[in-house]
Structure formats: C-alpha cells, structure tokens
C-alpha cells in the first residue's frame, strides 16, 4: 500500500498528519468489495487520500485457500511529515 499512498498537497502544506484506519472486505482474488473509514485521522483530506490509496492498490494480494472468503481487514494508512 505504501507505494500507492499520495500525500495531499494542501494537507502537507498545512502540516496535517494522522493515521486513517480503513475497514475493507476483499474477495479471494483480492478485489475490494467494500471499504469505509473505521477511524478518522481528523482530516477529511487525509481520510479521502487513504480511501484513494486503497483504490489505487487494488487488487490486493490473493486470499490463501485456508482463509475464509470474503476477508475483512483493518488497514492503517499513515500520513506523517518526516
């Protein structure tokens, strides 16, 4: 997911930082069936950027055969100015 993350320019200029927790459900092939913000960063721009990151990263890695389908995941997406 890291390589698909884009820090919003306006957020970077305002030095907004935070972690967005996404809840998503994926099928066996890694296709995102549903996604929502589980816990906000406190910034609407960073929250949207996290959802956009997930969309760019799709499809995610395949679910191993021994795991149930669909699979529910909680994914943290961190935005920090380092």
């Amino acid at each position: 997911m890291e390589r698909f993350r884009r820090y919003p320019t306006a957020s970077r200029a305002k030095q907004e930082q935070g972690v967005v927790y996404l809840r998503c459900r994926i099928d066996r092939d890694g296709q995102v069936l549903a996604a929502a913000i589980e816990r906000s960063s406190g910034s609407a721009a960073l929250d949207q950027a996290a959802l956009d990151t997930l969309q760019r990263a799709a499809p995610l890695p395949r679910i191993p055969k021994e795991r149930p389908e669909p699979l529910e995941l909680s994914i943290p997406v961190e935005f920090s100015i380092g």
Side-chain angles (χ1 to χ4, degrees), residues 14 20 25 37 41-42 52 60 62 66 69 72 81-82:
K14 292 189 253 181
V20 182
R25 188 175 55 206
I37 295 170
S41 66
D52 294 344
L60 301 177
R62 291 180 54 84
E66 63 273 6
E69 178 193 16
E72 292 268 338
I81 300 170

Side-chain angles (χ1 to χ4, degrees), residues 51-65:
L51 288 168
D52 294 344
T53 298
L54 181 61
Q55 185 177 26
R56 282 191 295 276
L60 301 177
R62 291 180 54 84
I63 299 173
K65 290 183 194 243

Side-chain angles (χ1 to χ4, degrees), residues 1-2 10 12 14 33-34 40 42 45 52 65 68 72 80:
M1 294 266 299
E2 181 68 26
R12 186 180 293 276
K14 292 189 253 181
L33 303 173
S40 173
D52 294 344
K65 290 183 194 243
E72 292 268 338
S80 63

Side-chain angles (χ1 to χ4, degrees), residues 19-41:
V19 179
V20 182
Y21 289 86
L22 301 177
R23 169 71 59 189
C24 71
R25 188 175 55 206
I26 63 172
D27 69 10
R28 177 113 9 240
D29 294 325
Q31 295 297 326
V32 177
L33 303 173
I37 295 170
E38 183 174 56
R39 190 166 71 205
S40 173
S41 66

